[in-house]
Amino acid sequence: MNRLEGKVALISGAARGMGASHARAVVREGGSVVLGDVLEEEGEALAEELGTNARFVRLDVTAPQDWTRAVDAALDDFGKLDVLVNNAGICTMGSLFDYTLEDWNRIIGINLTGQFLGIRAAVGALIDAAPASIINISSTQGMEGIAELHGYTASKFGVRGLTKSVALELAGRNVRANTICPGTVATPMNEGLDVSGFNPMNRKADTSEVSSLVVYLASDESTFISGTEIVVDGGELAGHGPLIPV
Ligand code: NAD
């Protein structure tokens, strides 16, 4: 409790799934949160549920002017911005024979360029509030590929690179930047996907199992952690199962 007392966070894609869980965790830990999403009804409802320490703004992460509005909302309503969580994302798939340029540009625009635009819009406020923290959500697909997940895999590898260049530029300003690479998590994004055998725990993570890491990276408990990625994957990337004698 109160690990984020006095902190103000802006979370993209916060209307549902992991973003909503992170928003709940920030408020539970004593912080305030601006929820940004294209899903207005869900976002407004969550902000109302969370009370005076939360507000919703319509945010399409591909639109620079939406980002400016979201950062202004944090400054106007809560006085500063300490934490940016670049969480919004989509997942599309298709073989090389039918994944179109439009598919590619859309996912890169949301999953990668959207994070760059968020950092650009927030950087001034984060420096003013420093010590501050940027948390970029990648995926285990930012560490290894999945067949036919070309745009998703490329965008999530890109997020890790962006985090490193940002962390290096902002280290001297006391703004940290880190990447979280979740494995498979129970959210609307992967509803209906069979993930049995995908990780050795043989289950999807609960969103709270990622939110606890978001709280840690947002807090002053992690002041020497920057420019890195932390994997939350139930052992998915650890290796292979036993060798079976033939
Ligand atoms: P989700 O689909 O439940 O939530 C994603 C949110 O992003 C939604 O609220 C959606 O409206 C929002 N969004 C989509 N496009 C947007 C845009 N242009 N502007 C603003 N908001 C937009 O999915 P989730 O699983 O909660 O995903 C959250 C993040 O975690 C994503 O970046 C995703 O790639 C990543 N991730 C998910 C998993 C998983 O297994 N669910 C695993 C690893 C990483």
Side-chain angles (χ1 to χ4, degrees), residues 197-217:
F198 205 72
N199 64 58
M201 292 193 184
N202 225 12
R203 67 172 176 89
K204 293 179 184 179
D206 186 82
T207 55
S208 63
E209 293 175 288
V210 182
S211 297
S212 51
L213 181 55
V214 169
V215 167
Y216 174 66
L217 288 176

Side-chain angles (χ1 to χ4, degrees), residues 190-198 204:
N190 65 20
E191 240 166 41
L193 282 185
D194 179 8
V195 296
S196 46
F198 205 72
K204 293 179 184 179

